[in-house]
Amino acid sequence: EVQLSESGGGSVQAGGSLRLSCTASRFTFEDGSAMGWYRQLPGFGCELVSTISGDGRSYYGDPVKGRFTISLDNAKTTAYLQMNNLTPEDTGTYYCATPLNVARVWVSPTLSNCDHWGQGTQVTVSS
C-alpha cells in the first residue's frame, strides 16, 4: 500500500508563497501514473490541482496555472508544489495523490471529496 507524507502547509498573506512536499513510500512510477495534488476548498468539491509523471510531464488546473509549479526530486519519491502569488481563494486542505491513470483524472478533475488521499495539509491565505 502506498504511503504518502505531506508537509509544508501554513498561513500566509495574499501574494505570499508556500511549498508543499509529499514523500511517497511503496510507490513506483509506471506507465500512466503520476504524483500530484488535490485540494478541498471550503464549500467545494475535491479539485485536482497538478500532476507530474515520472518523465517530468506536468499538468495544472486552470485556477493555478502560472502560479504553481510541481516538481520531483531525483529519486522520484518526493513531489513538491511551489505555490506563488497565493490568494484567499487558494485556502483549503491540500492532499498529495498518486493517481494510477493521469489522463483519466484530468478528464474528471473534481471529486466529491478528498478522503481517499489521506489527511492533507492546511493552507490558509489571508487578505
Side-chain angles (χ1 to χ4, degrees):
E1 181 180 347
V2 176
Q3 294 184 330
L4 303 174
S5 177
E6 303 139 327
S7 63
S11 298
V12 296
Q13 291 189 326
S17 299
L18 286 172
R19 189 175 83 153
L20 306 183
S21 300
C22 171
T23 298
S25 301
R26 304 173 188 169
F27 173 74
T28 302
F29 281 97
E30 298 180 354
D31 287 347
S33 68
M35 291 185 71
W37 298 87
Y38 281 89
R39 67 183 182 181
Q40 184 90 49
L41 306 182
F44 292 88
C46 182
E47 174 187 56
L48 184 58
V49 175
S50 180
T51 59
I52 187 166
S53 302
D55 61 4
R57 282 179 294 176
S58 58
Y59 299 94
Y60 301 91
D62 286 342
V64 307
K65 283 180 180 177
R67 300 187 298 123
F68 291 12
T69 303
I70 193 169
S71 60
L72 278 176
D73 70 344
N74 289 337
K76 297 184 180 180
T77 59
T78 299
Y80 303 97
L81 186 68
Q82 178 67 42
M83 306 185 294
N84 297 328
N85 194 21
L86 286 161
T87 72
E89 288 71 35
D90 295 313
T91 294
T93 305
Y94 286 67
Y95 298 83
C96 182
T98 52
L100 298 180
N101 189 321
V102 65
R104 182 176 298 170
V105 295
W106 281 110
V107 170
S108 300
T110 302
L111 307 173
S112 57
N113 60 67
C114 293
D115 293 350
H116 178 70
W117 300 116
Q119 296 185 347
T121 185
Q122 179 66 31
V123 171
T124 303
V125 185
S126 58
S127 59

